[in-house]
Structures are given as C-alpha cells and as structure tokens.
Amino acid sequence: MTDNLAQLSDAGVSIWLDDVSRRRLTTGNLAGLVRDKHVVGVTSNPTIFAKALAEAADYDDQVRELAARGASLDAAVKEITTTDIRNACDLFRDVWQATNGVDGRVSIEVDPRLAHETDKTVAEALDLWKTVDRPNLLVKIPATEAGLPAITRTLAEGVSVNVTLIFSVERYRAVMEAFVAGLEQAKANGHDVSTLVSVASFFVSRVDTEVDKRLEAIGTDEALSLRGKAAVANARLAYAAFEEVFAGPRWAALAADGARPQRPLWASTGVKNPDYSPTLYVDELVVADTVNTMPEATLDAVAEHSQLRGDTVTGTSTEAQAVFDKLGEAGVDIADVFVVLENEGVEKFEKSWEELLESVSGQLKAATSAGS
C-alpha cells in the first residue's frame, strides 16, 4: 500500500495531509498516517475546521468548559482551533527534528475576513504564533495584494509562513519577492534566518475547474482539446519561476547565512472532475523540493494505483507555456481566470469561517443552557 507513497517521498516530494481534526488526533488516525503513509506535515483551513466542528462531538467537553467561563465566540473559536494545531505540532515534533525543520510542519490560517487588511493580518499572524507556541507552526497568509506586505512583515518578526491562495505565476513571483524581502528584514532584525521556513501554496485543481468551464462555453474542437491541461501547465511554470529566483545572486547572500528556499506547495490536489485520474495532480507534479498536500482520498488513490514515472516537471516550461499560448488563442482570458479564482478563494474561506462561528455559537448556547 505504501510503495507509491515511498517512491513519491524519495523523489523529493513531501507528503502533507490536507486535513486535521480532533478525531484524527485522539484516535491515532493522524499518527497512523505518519507511520504508514509517509505523511510528514498537515495543513488546515477554515473549511476543514468548519467541517470538523459541525460533524463531530469531539469538541463538546472543551465547548462546555469555554461556556462555563463565559468565553466570547471569537475567543472560543481561537482556543478550539489552536488547541488542535498545537497538539498536531506536538505529534509532528519528531518529524520536524528528524528533517532539521524542513517538514513536520502544521499550518493554521489567519481569519480570512482579514484578507484585504495588511496590519490586522500581521497582528493576527503574530498572535497565532505566540498562542500556539510551537516552533514547527506555519501561519497561513493569503497571497492577496494586502497579504504580500503582511508576508514580509511577519517573516521579519521571525515567524514562519505558509502563503496560501496563489493561482498565477505572476502573483507567485510577487510572493517570492515578499519572502526574500522578509528574510532580509529578519536578518537585519537579528533573527537566525536558518530557522525560518516558508512554503508557497499554489492551487491546482481549481484552475482546471474554471478554465475547463470557459473552454466548454467556447465549444470549438481546439478549445475542448485543451481541457484538463491548464492546471498542470500553470504549476510547471511556477516551478520554473522557483528555480530561477532561488538560483539568483540576491538569494545566494541569504543562502550563505543558512536560509532555505520557499518551497512550492501543490494545494487543492483533489481532482474535481471525475473524468480525470484521481492522481492527476500528483503524478504530473513530481519534482524535488516541493510539497503536495492531499486530502485523504487522494492520498489513498496515490497509494493504491498511482502511475509515478519520476520527475515530471523539470524541463517542461516550454511545453507548459505552449498550453497557455493555445488557451489564449482559443479565447480564454487567463488574467480574468486568476482574478476570479482569487476572489472566489477568499469568499469560500470567509463563508467557511462564518459557518465555523455559527457552529461554535450554537454549541456554546446549548452548553450554557444545559448548565443553567
């Protein structure tokens, strides 16, 4: 069952699970995935927490305790989510130590309602870092226009960052610039840059979902022949940009002080179109110095029937650019695709956060009524 996952790991792809919950932590499920399926990290987001809180009674004891001491809704949500993240950090501590801090990482996202507010994002990122109080934490900050300076300022304070909601190579280059500037400022502030780790979460499947919809609306044979190709091509172009930036002279100065490159992380790798192979966004994005964060269904699919064939990314940028040239010729407005995806991404996480607040609010009220 684990041969494919071992092969993927040996190719330099760090396997992270795109899910965390109290049930996974308390039942030993997550520990089992670390032991048996080469999982070396975890990512979370508002949608994951909203689902966990709505579906399980695992949080009831903590909710009752929070209700008994009159915790506010925002304080309760923060305490519930950071408890899971802190416990996950502890579970991955051995992996973190064994990989010299490269893996064993656990991510928690700032309140998505702050996605367009730089100062508040920085303040919350620093607060989450202090609250969780674990060296293997990554604080997730969205790659919005307001998020870019927040990335730099958070890193400058010595806080490791997972940059999320990246869709275009252009924005990814801005993220790498924000990362490098953040490390330069961290160094100037007296921080040891060798301890700072960052990943750039480049979203994959959502690109195909949006582009395929537009190709089907165009409806020509040429357009239809391009379905299912945009996402992989986009990610491959991102990796070429990663190679370029982290081979440059500006980076060399930081590397001399032990700084580590900001690895690309392939996010949203669960396939949305049932006509595509469930392992499409794994098999086609195998390359060293990357992370693939998968939902468990994708993890299982890779373990069972992935067709891995070594590095499928290095040297593919010309071919990938040709796909984008053809998309433009077919009538797809690529720039608009990325704007729509970023806006939708922020909106989806905001909606999930509201659902999380609503769920905890209901549970707090029920606990208060039961205790009165």
Side-chain angles (χ1 to χ4, degrees):
M1 277 291 288
T2 60
D3 286 351
N4 286 335
L5 295 169
Q7 188 178 338
L8 185 64
S9 179
D10 290 343
V13 179
S14 292
I15 300 167
W16 292 6
L17 181 71
D18 190 25
D19 193 40
V20 69
S21 67
R22 191 147 305 177
R23 178 160 295 180
R24 285 193 185 277
L25 289 161
T26 58
T27 62
N29 167 273
L30 187 55
L33 294 177
V34 174
R35 182 184 64 245
D36 302 328
K37 293 196 172 180
H38 303 273
V39 171
V40 292
V42 156
T43 49
S44 70
N45 60 45
T47 303
I48 285 168
F49 275 124
K51 185 172 183 288
L53 265 291
E55 292 182 354
D58 305 81
Y59 299 89
D60 288 357
D61 289 346
Q62 187 175 19
V63 169
R64 279 193 291 269
E65 190 270 328
L66 288 162
R69 58 181 159 94
S72 69
L73 177 57
D74 284 342
V77 168
K78 180 179 178 181
E79 190 160 332
I80 289 166
T81 54
T82 55
T83 296
D84 279 358
I85 294 300
R86 187 181 302 109
N87 289 337
C89 283
D90 290 344
L91 188 154
F92 279 97
R93 187 69 176 247
D94 288 347
V95 175
W96 176 75
Q97 291 177 326
T99 61
N100 195 28
V102 173
D103 286 311
R105 296 283 171 170
V106 181
S107 297
I108 187 170
E109 189 157 345
V110 297
D111 183 337
R113 296 173 298 179
L114 307 178
H116 303 296
E117 299 187 60
T118 302
D119 291 346
K120 289 182 179 179
T121 292
V122 174
E124 174 145 335
L126 298 180
D127 187 58
L128 285 170
W129 180 258
K130 291 173 184 174
T131 300
V132 175
D133 192 27
R134 294 295 185 271
N136 50 332
L137 179 72
L138 293 176
V139 179
K140 291 178 82 172
I141 296 175
T144 55
E145 289 287 352
L148 294 172
I151 294 160
T152 297
R153 286 169 53 186
T154 300
L155 286 161
E157 295 296 327
V159 174
S160 294
V161 172
N162 175 343
V163 184
T164 188
L165 290 176
I166 308 172
F167 295 98
S168 71
V169 176
E170 179 183 18
R171 181 58 57 85
Y172 177 45
R173 286 185 177 276
V175 166
M176 289 189 284
E177 165 62 31
F179 166 70
V180 172
L183 288 199
E184 289 171 340
Q185 290 183 26
K187 179 181 174 181
N189 290 341
H191 294 290
D192 179 358
V193 293
S194 71
T195 66
L196 283 170
V197 166
S198 183
V199 293
S201 296
F202 202 85
F203 279 53
V204 184
S205 66
R206 294 187 194 183
V207 174
D208 271 343
T209 299
E210 180 65 24
V211 171
D212 285 1
K213 179 174 68 176
R214 297 185 184 213
L215 290 169
E216 286 161 7
I218 294 167
T220 63
D221 289 344
E222 178 191 15
L224 296 177
S225 71
L226 292 168
R227 287 177 297 182
K229 295 183 178 180
V232 168
N234 198 37
R236 288 172 171 174
L237 288 172
Y239 190 80
F242 160 77
E243 288 185 300
E244 177 191 324
V245 168
F246 293 106
R250 185 179 176 191
W251 176 251
L254 286 165
D257 289 319
R260 313 173 198 214
Q262 180 188 54
R263 289 185 295 170
L265 178 152
W266 311 131
S268 184
T269 56
V271 172
K272 307 289 193 293
N273 187 334
D275 292 336
Y276 299 158
S277 163
T279 63
L280 172 66
Y281 304 125
V282 178
D283 298 350
E284 300 302 324
L285 295 175
V286 177
V287 64
D289 300 317
T290 58
V291 179
N292 195 309
T293 182
M294 314 176 198
E296 191 168 15
T298 303
L299 184 75
D300 290 342
V302 172
E304 291 167 11
H305 51 76
S306 190
Q307 298 295 316
L308 298 171
R309 54 188 195 281
D311 186 336
T312 51
V313 176
T314 303
T316 61
S317 60
T318 300
E319 176 187 345
Q321 185 57 53
V323 170
F324 273 81
D325 292 343
K326 290 176 183 176
L327 287 168
E329 292 165 5
V332 176
D333 185 342
I334 292 297
D336 184 66
V337 166
F338 295 138
V339 169
V340 166
L341 287 172
E342 180 179 304
N343 291 338
E344 284 183 354
V346 172
E347 288 166 9
K348 285 176 182 176
F349 282 166
E350 285 178 344
K351 181 180 177 183
S352 294
W353 193 258
E354 295 294 345
E355 290 170 357
L356 175 60
L357 290 170
E358 185 177 339
S359 177
V360 174
S361 176
Q363 292 176 39
L364 285 170
K365 288 175 183 175
T368 301
S369 297
S372 59

